[in-house]
Amino acid sequence: MGQVHRAEHRFRWLALGAFTLALSCSQGKQEPAARIDVDPATTRSPTAAPGTAAGVRREWEARRDPADGLGHAWLEGASDKVPSYERAQPAHFVIVYEAEGPGIAVGGSLELRVPHAFGWSVPRLTHPEMPGFVEVEAPDGVTVESGVSKEATPRPMVRFQLGGRPLAAGERVRIRYASSTDVLAERGERFWISVDGDGDGQAAALADAPQIDIVAGKATGLVAFWPATAHPGERVRLRVAALDDSGNPARGFEAPIEVNKPPGVEGPQSLPASGATQTAEYGIADEGVYQLQVRTPDGLAATTNPLLVSRSAPRIVWGDIHGHSNRSDGTGPPHDYFRYARDVAALDVAALTDHDHWGGPRRLDVDPAGWQEIRDEVQRFNEPDRFVTLLGYEWTSWLHGHRHVLYFQDDGPVLSSADPRFETPAQLWAGLRGLPALTFTHHPAGGPVATNWAFAPDPVLEPLVEIVSVAGSSESPDAPRVLHNAVAGNFVRDALDRGYRLGFVGSSDSHDGHPGCPLLEGCGLVAIQTEELTREAVFEALRARRTYASNGPRIVLEARLDEYAIGAVLPPAASRTLSIRVNAVAPISKIDLVRNGAIVETIDCERRRELRIERTVRDLASGDWLYLRIVQIDDGAAWSSPFFVE
Ligand SMILES: [Zn+2]
Ligand SMILES: [Zn+2]
C-alpha cells in the first residue's frame, strides 16, 4: 500500500496567500547565469521530477485491453439525475458499480479517484470515524484487497483488487466514501471509476462516472469592473457580480444594486434586482480618470478599477491566459470557466489551458472528446470587440518546466510532453512551426518545475514569459510577493541576462474555476496594448510584447521610450526620453527602473495614485534592456515588458 499523493498545484496554491515569504529581503541580486555550452536536450530543470515524467510516459504508452473500462457506476439513490450538495458539508456517498461484458477477472481491479482539493477528504482505509473513510462491499465469494495508491495523477486514488472468483456481468460492488464536500461551487464534479477487467494492471475509466453539483452560498460581497481605457464618447460596459465567500457567483441573489456615478458619467443609477451577474452601459464625454461605486441596500459594496478616458492614450485590455477546468485538475466545466471570465472577472481576453496529461483519467492528450469540448466552448464564447477567447493547453513537462501553448484560430493539436516526439521545448516549437501559435513558460523561477532556461526561447514562437501568477512572482528575488519556492539564478531577470527577449504577462493559473481571480489579493493578469479586440490583434500585440503584467490590481500603465512602445526593439542611442503614466488602484509607493539586471533608479511616488513622469535614459547600447516595476503600498504591482536595444 503506497502513500496518498496529494495535488501539488491545488493544495499549495489554495493556501498561498499566507505563505508569501520574504525572499526579497534574504537574497541579493543574483550573478548573471553563464551561458550553457551543452546540448540543451541533455539538460533538465533544476527542480525536474523524472519519476513523475516516467509515470506519465508509462500511461501514455499503456495498452488498453477491450475488457478495461467496462460497466456502469452511479450514486446510490441518484441513478438518473445529478444530485446537488451544499458546499463544505459532511456527506456520505455510496457508489455502486455494476460489471458488464466479460466482467472482472481474478486479479483485476476497480479504482476510485475522488475529487481533489478545496474541501474534499483524502481517502483512508482505517479509522471509520475519520473523514475520508472508504469501505467496500462485494458479492459472496469475491475478495477485495484495498490500497490507497501513489500514481501519476493529482487525484487521490483507492484501488480495489478483486480475487476469489471473477465478478460476473450484472454483479455489483458498493463503495462507501465519507467526506466533506467542496467549498467551491461546481457543476459536474466527478467520482472517477476505472476498471482493469483482465487483470494486467492497466485500468481504463468508465465514460459515465458518477457526478454531483455543488451549489454556491449566499452573497457576502460584490466585485465591479469596467474597461481600463476608453475614448471620449465611447460606450463602456460595467459588470457587477455578487459572490459568496469563496468567490462563487452567489445563490439566490435578488438585491437591487445602486450605482454611484461621478459627474460626467451618463447611464443607469441602478441595476436590476435579479441574478448574481449584472451589466450596464455608460458614456463619458470628457477626458479624465473615472471610478464607479456600487452598493446593495444591505451594505455590500465595491469600487471599480480606474477607467482612463483619453483621446491619445493607447487602448489597454485585460486578460487571463492561464487557468484550468475539470478537463484537467481544475474546477467546473470549460463552459463555466469562460462564463466566469466574461461575466464576473469582466476580462477582455481569456484562455483555458488545461494540462495535456494531468488531473484525472480524461487526459487531453488521449481523449479527443475533452479537446473537442474545449474547442467548442472557445468558439462559442469568442465575440470580437467584446470578449476574445483563445484555444490552448499546458504542455506540462516534468523535465523542462511547464509551458502554455495558445492558438489564435479555432483549432490546433495537443502536442503532449508525454509524447516522445514532443518531449523537449525544441521539439514542441518544431511541432508548432508555421501555426498561428505562441508559447510561454510559467512560474519559471520555481515549483513545481522551474523553467529549464538552457533552451533559448524560440524567437518567433515564444515572445513572452509569465512573470506572476497566484503562486507568486518569478521576476527577481527583490519582487513583491516572490514565488515561495524560487530557485536562485532561475528568475525572469536571470533569463533576460542571458540575452533572451521576453515580454511580460501575468495570469492566474486558477484551479478554482475563477479565472481573473477577482477576490484574491496576489494573482496574475496581463494587460495587452491593442486598439482592436480580435484574436488577430491580440496575437499581433502579444508577439510584439506590447504587454504588462499585474499581480491583481488593474493598474493603467503607459510607458514609451521616445516613440517606442513597451516590448519594442530599438536602435542604440546616446539619449532617449522615457515617458511613464500610471493610474493605480491604491497609493503607489515606488517605481523601480530595472536596467541590464539591476535597479538603476527607484522613484518615490509619495503615495500618489496618478503619476506622469519623464526620465532621460542615456547611453543605450546594443544588448541593453530596461523595464519598469510599479509597486503600490499594498504590494499590488505591475511590470512593463522590457524595451530591448538592438
Ligand atoms: Zn503548471
Ligand atoms: Zn497551470
Side-chain angles (χ1 to χ4, degrees), residues 463-475:
L464 302 167
V465 60
E466 187 183 282
I467 199 167
V468 66
S469 74
V470 70
S473 172
S474 287
E475 180 218 342

PDB file of all heavy atoms in Angstrom, residues 463-475:
ATOM      1  N   PRO A 463       7.581  34.720 -27.425  1.00  0.00           N
ATOM      2  CA  PRO A 463       7.972  36.102 -27.163  1.00  0.00           C
ATOM      3  C   PRO A 463       7.742  36.533 -25.717  1.00  0.00           C
ATOM      4  O   PRO A 463       8.113  37.646 -25.347  1.00  0.00           O
ATOM      5  CB  PRO A 463       7.032  36.890 -28.095  1.00  0.00           C
ATOM      6  CG  PRO A 463       5.802  36.044 -28.198  1.00  0.00           C
ATOM      7  CD  PRO A 463       6.255  34.618 -28.079  1.00  0.00           C
ATOM      8  N   LEU A 464       7.128  35.693 -24.892  1.00  0.00           N
ATOM      9  CA  LEU A 464       6.629  36.128 -23.585  1.00  0.00           C
ATOM     10  C   LEU A 464       7.041  35.164 -22.476  1.00  0.00           C
ATOM     11  O   LEU A 464       7.364  34.014 -22.727  1.00  0.00           O
ATOM     12  CB  LEU A 464       5.091  36.172 -23.604  1.00  0.00           C
ATOM     13  CG  LEU A 464       4.427  37.069 -24.649  1.00  0.00           C
ATOM     14  CD1 LEU A 464       2.945  36.746 -24.734  1.00  0.00           C
ATOM     15  CD2 LEU A 464       4.644  38.530 -24.288  1.00  0.00           C
ATOM     16  N   VAL A 465       6.947  35.663 -21.261  1.00  0.00           N
ATOM     17  CA  VAL A 465       7.115  34.818 -20.074  1.00  0.00           C
ATOM     18  C   VAL A 465       6.071  35.247 -19.045  1.00  0.00           C
ATOM     19  O   VAL A 465       5.757  36.431 -18.940  1.00  0.00           O
ATOM     20  CB  VAL A 465       8.551  34.920 -19.512  1.00  0.00           C
ATOM     21  CG1 VAL A 465       8.895  36.356 -19.097  1.00  0.00           C
ATOM     22  CG2 VAL A 465       8.752  33.990 -18.327  1.00  0.00           C
ATOM     23  N   GLU A 466       5.541  34.273 -18.311  1.00  0.00           N
ATOM     24  CA  GLU A 466       4.593  34.592 -17.231  1.00  0.00           C
ATOM     25  C   GLU A 466       5.399  34.958 -15.995  1.00  0.00           C
ATOM     26  O   GLU A 466       5.988  34.100 -15.343  1.00  0.00           O
ATOM     27  CB  GLU A 466       3.691  33.388 -16.954  1.00  0.00           C
ATOM     28  CG  GLU A 466       2.569  33.696 -15.971  1.00  0.00           C
ATOM     29  CD  GLU A 466       1.743  32.454 -15.679  1.00  0.00           C
ATOM     30  OE1 GLU A 466       0.904  32.076 -16.514  1.00  0.00           O
ATOM     31  OE2 GLU A 466       1.961  31.843 -14.617  1.00  0.00           O
ATOM     32  N   ILE A 467       5.388  36.244 -15.685  1.00  0.00           N
ATOM     33  CA  ILE A 467       6.251  36.751 -14.611  1.00  0.00           C
ATOM     34  C   ILE A 467       5.562  36.660 -13.256  1.00  0.00           C
ATOM     35  O   ILE A 467       6.214  36.666 -12.219  1.00  0.00           O
ATOM     36  CB  ILE A 467       6.685  38.199 -14.956  1.00  0.00           C
ATOM     37  CG1 ILE A 467       7.913  38.635 -14.176  1.00  0.00           C
ATOM     38  CG2 ILE A 467       5.560  39.176 -14.751  1.00  0.00           C
ATOM     39  CD1 ILE A 467       8.531  39.914 -14.715  1.00  0.00           C
ATOM     40  N   VAL A 468       4.212  36.506 -13.267  1.00  0.00           N
ATOM     41  CA  VAL A 468       3.486  36.436 -11.993  1.00  0.00           C
ATOM     42  C   VAL A 468       2.188  35.658 -12.183  1.00  0.00           C
ATOM     43  O   VAL A 468       1.566  35.699 -13.246  1.00  0.00           O
ATOM     44  CB  VAL A 468       3.208  37.856 -11.439  1.00  0.00           C
ATOM     45  CG1 VAL A 468       2.252  38.634 -12.335  1.00  0.00           C
ATOM     46  CG2 VAL A 468       2.678  37.816 -10.004  1.00  0.00           C
ATOM     47  N   SER A 469       1.821  34.906 -11.137  1.00  0.00           N
ATOM     48  CA  SER A 469       0.553  34.174 -11.097  1.00  0.00           C
ATOM     49  C   SER A 469       0.144  34.085  -9.635  1.00  0.00           C
ATOM     50  O   SER A 469       0.792  34.683  -8.764  1.00  0.00           O
ATOM     51  CB  SER A 469       0.712  32.770 -11.691  1.00  0.00           C
ATOM     52  OG  SER A 469       1.417  31.948 -10.778  1.00  0.00           O
ATOM     53  N   VAL A 470      -0.908  33.297  -9.373  1.00  0.00           N
ATOM     54  CA  VAL A 470      -1.355  33.144  -7.987  1.00  0.00           C
ATOM     55  C   VAL A 470      -0.255  32.529  -7.117  1.00  0.00           C
ATOM     56  O   VAL A 470      -0.235  32.709  -5.904  1.00  0.00           O
ATOM     57  CB  VAL A 470      -2.655  32.311  -7.928  1.00  0.00           C
ATOM     58  CG1 VAL A 470      -2.382  30.861  -8.283  1.00  0.00           C
ATOM     59  CG2 VAL A 470      -3.332  32.422  -6.573  1.00  0.00           C
ATOM     60  N   ALA A 471       0.696  31.829  -7.745  1.00  0.00           N
ATOM     61  CA  ALA A 471       1.789  31.225  -6.988  1.00  0.00           C
ATOM     62  C   ALA A 471       2.848  32.247  -6.586  1.00  0.00           C
ATOM     63  O   ALA A 471       3.720  31.941  -5.785  1.00  0.00           O
ATOM     64  CB  ALA A 471       2.437  30.120  -7.813  1.00  0.00           C
ATOM     65  N   GLY A 472       2.797  33.470  -7.162  1.00  0.00           N
ATOM     66  CA  GLY A 472       3.767  34.494  -6.804  1.00  0.00           C
ATOM     67  C   GLY A 472       4.519  34.985  -8.021  1.00  0.00           C
ATOM     68  O   GLY A 472       4.247  34.577  -9.151  1.00  0.00           O
ATOM     69  N   SER A 473       5.483  35.865  -7.758  1.00  0.00           N
ATOM     70  CA  SER A 473       6.234  36.468  -8.849  1.00  0.00           C
ATOM     71  C   SER A 473       7.551  35.744  -9.065  1.00  0.00           C
ATOM     72  O   SER A 473       8.246  35.375  -8.129  1.00  0.00           O
ATOM     73  CB  SER A 473       6.517  37.941  -8.551  1.00  0.00           C
ATOM     74  OG  SER A 473       7.408  38.440  -9.539  1.00  0.00           O
ATOM     75  N   SER A 474       7.901  35.573 -10.345  1.00  0.00           N
ATOM     76  CA  SER A 474       9.182  34.976 -10.738  1.00  0.00           C
ATOM     77  C   SER A 474      10.131  36.032 -11.282  1.00  0.00           C
ATOM     78  O   SER A 474      11.135  35.698 -11.904  1.00  0.00           O
ATOM     79  CB  SER A 474       8.961  33.925 -11.836  1.00  0.00           C
ATOM     80  OG  SER A 474       8.375  32.759 -11.325  1.00  0.00           O
ATOM     81  N   GLU A 475       9.815  37.319 -11.056  1.00  0.00           N
ATOM     82  CA  GLU A 475      10.640  38.352 -11.679  1.00  0.00           C
ATOM     83  C   GLU A 475      12.077  38.317 -11.162  1.00  0.00           C
ATOM     84  O   GLU A 475      13.020  38.216 -11.935  1.00  0.00           O
ATOM     85  CB  GLU A 475      10.038  39.740 -11.399  1.00  0.00           C
ATOM     86  CG  GLU A 475      10.853  40.864 -12.017  1.00  0.00           C
ATOM     87  CD  GLU A 475      10.930  42.098 -11.142  1.00  0.00           C
ATOM     88  OE1 GLU A 475      10.103  42.232 -10.218  1.00  0.00           O
ATOM     89  OE2 GLU A 475      11.830  42.917 -11.363  1.00  0.00           O
TER      90      GLU A 475
END
